Amino acid sequence: MSTPARAALLGGRLGHLSDARTLGSAGIAFGALAFWLALPPWTLRTVGPSIALGIVAIACGIAAVPRGERRVGWGAIVVGVLGTVGAIWLQGVQEDTLKNILTAGLLASTLRFATPLAFAAMGGIFSERSGVVNIGLEGMMLMGAFFGIWGSIWSGSWVVGLLMAMLFGGLLALVHAFFSIHLRADQIVSGFAVNLMALGLTGYLFSSIYASGIPSGVSRVPNVTLGWLDNIPVVGDFLQGVFGELNLLVWIMFGVVIASYIVLFKTPIGLRIRSVGEHPRAADTVGISVYGVRYAAVTLSGVLAALGGAFLSIGFTGTFAENMTSGRGFIALAAVILGKWRPGWAFAATLLFGFGFALSIPLQREADISSSVIATLPYVLTLIALVGIIGRSIPPAAVGRPYVKQ
């Protein structure tokens, strides 16, 4: 490569690094790092590095705002200030208390609590990207939870339990699809009806079949042991605590999130789904079956949501209780909106809500706060997140609108 070409390449890379959005994003990362250094596993008991990173974050935000990236720039400034102030405040908290609350186990619990939300959120994205609002995620999760454990007990195999959960979750989604697509019913009303039907059906079957309770020895989805993580220098113990004993369904969830992004944004199938959700008339004109794509997407949403419910029963607890999803389907729907109908951002939102569930346990133990108050934390986080994003998140153009073929 000639010298002028190398200079041009270097200039292009430097220009990208000085791009306003890149500066703002880097500022947000520096601000978050300023706060993280005061937390385990680092737990620095000096504020110097955090203050320095906070100043850098604020400087990046100040540089980004005049260049047109106001949202990212102000985000970097706010995160830089909050990260620095938070790190300073944490210096007054006892190190043992921090380590008892913010442990590797907390992050592992975050992943476990986020897993059912992520499955349902991915399903909600497929449904709504195709143009069908799916309020029924809660009911589909509940169906998956019940029929997952029923299938596991009946067959003695957790594999059959997962298949049964997916089957009945997909069937319930098919009911919602039929009312929403062919009968052109109000999709919100249909979704709520599906939720009530799932609640009544699973409650009746549970009381009829398992009147004396769920038997012991239920075949459960196994954990994946990664003992070799201990051998990694410095952070091996921490990584072992987070990822060393996760349930198989957690790893499947990671794969589903990645596959959802690839399918939606890197394949012709995803282009068809998004075109049907944005402009069904144009999609129909070029030969895409709007009804077929929507039926497939809604049914898939039920299958994925049911996997989230099955995780609760045969992956996490090993039992079933009436209404055991406890509103997680609605939290998953909030994650879809917060994530702007994109798998990666929706998964990040489920991690936020999962962290709220996980944090409530050590907070109750260490801070001696009422369990009733602590239990509201994930739902408060949901409300705060939605208040901050509603009106700024733009859904697919045709979502919620029945299509009439001409």
Side-chain angles (χ1 to χ4, degrees), residues 8 63 129 156 178 193 219 243 267 303 380:
R129 279 285 184 176
F178 177 72
S219 176
F243 300 104
T267 67
V303 170
V380 171

Side-chain angles (χ1 to χ4, degrees), residues 301-394:
S301 75
V303 170
L304 293 177
L307 276 177
F311 173 77
L312 292 174
S313 59
I314 59 175
F316 193 25
T317 63
T319 188
F320 178 83
E322 292 188 50
N323 195 27
M324 73 178 302
T325 50
S326 300
R328 285 177 173 83
F330 297 109
I331 295 179
L333 193 61
V336 172
I337 299 171
L338 184 59
K340 299 182 179 181
W341 292 268
R342 300 184 68 89
W345 288 111
F347 173 59
T350 63
L351 288 178
L352 172 65
F353 301 141
F355 181 73
F357 280 107
L359 186 61
S360 63
I361 299 172
L363 273 183
Q364 181 182 348
R365 181 182 65 244
E366 297 294 330
D368 195 25
I369 303 175
S370 169
S371 59
S372 300
V373 175
I374 290 295
T376 65
L377 180 60
Y379 306 99
V380 171
L381 285 176
T382 304
L383 289 174
I384 293 173
L386 286 179
V387 167
I389 203 70
I390 288 295
R392 303 177 188 176
S393 187
I394 302 175

Side-chain angles (χ1 to χ4, degrees), residues 166-188:
M166 295 163 64
L167 173 63
F168 283 94
L171 288 175
L172 187 64
L174 198 59
V175 172
H176 175 54
F178 177 72
F179 278 91
S180 299
I181 298 170
H182 257 97
L183 300 185
R184 297 192 290 276
D186 187 289
Q187 295 173 10
I188 304 295

Side-chain angles (χ1 to χ4, degrees), residues 170-344:
L171 288 175
L172 187 64
L174 198 59
V175 172
H176 175 54
F178 177 72
F179 278 91
S180 299
I181 298 170
H182 257 97
L183 300 185
R184 297 192 290 276
D186 187 289
Q187 295 173 10
I188 304 295
V189 175
S190 174
F192 272 111
V194 161
N195 287 334
L196 293 174
M197 182 170 70
L199 181 62
L201 179 62
T202 57
Y204 170 75
L205 292 175
F206 175 67
S207 60
S208 299
I209 301 174
Y210 305 112
S212 57
I214 298 293
S216 59
V218 175
S219 176
R220 297 172 59 178
V221 181
N223 291 340
V224 177
T225 302
L226 302 177
W228 53 268
L229 290 175
D230 268 335
N231 300 325
I232 299 176
V234 183
V235 295
D237 289 343
F238 181 77
L239 292 177
Q240 175 66 26
V242 178
F243 300 104
E245 286 289 337
L246 291 179
N247 191 270
L248 176 61
L249 279 173
V250 179
W251 294 105
I252 293 176
M253 177 270 293
F254 288 139
V256 167
V257 172
I258 295 171
S260 297
Y261 171 77
I262 293 173
V263 169
L264 280 173
F265 297 100
K266 302 296 180 181
T267 67
I269 295 175
L271 181 60
R272 291 187 174 209
I273 293 173
R274 289 184 286 123
S275 65
V276 165
E278 293 290 343
H279 203 311
R281 183 74 62 203
D284 195 7
T285 301
V286 298
I288 297 174
S289 173
V290 176
Y291 288 177
V293 170
R294 287 188 172 181
Y295 265 106
V298 176
T299 304
L300 177 61
S301 75
V303 170
L304 293 177
L307 276 177
F311 173 77
L312 292 174
S313 59
I314 59 175
F316 193 25
T317 63
T319 188
F320 178 83
E322 292 188 50
N323 195 27
M324 73 178 302
T325 50
S326 300
R328 285 177 173 83
F330 297 109
I331 295 179
L333 193 61
V336 172
I337 299 171
L338 184 59
K340 299 182 179 181
W341 292 268
R342 300 184 68 89

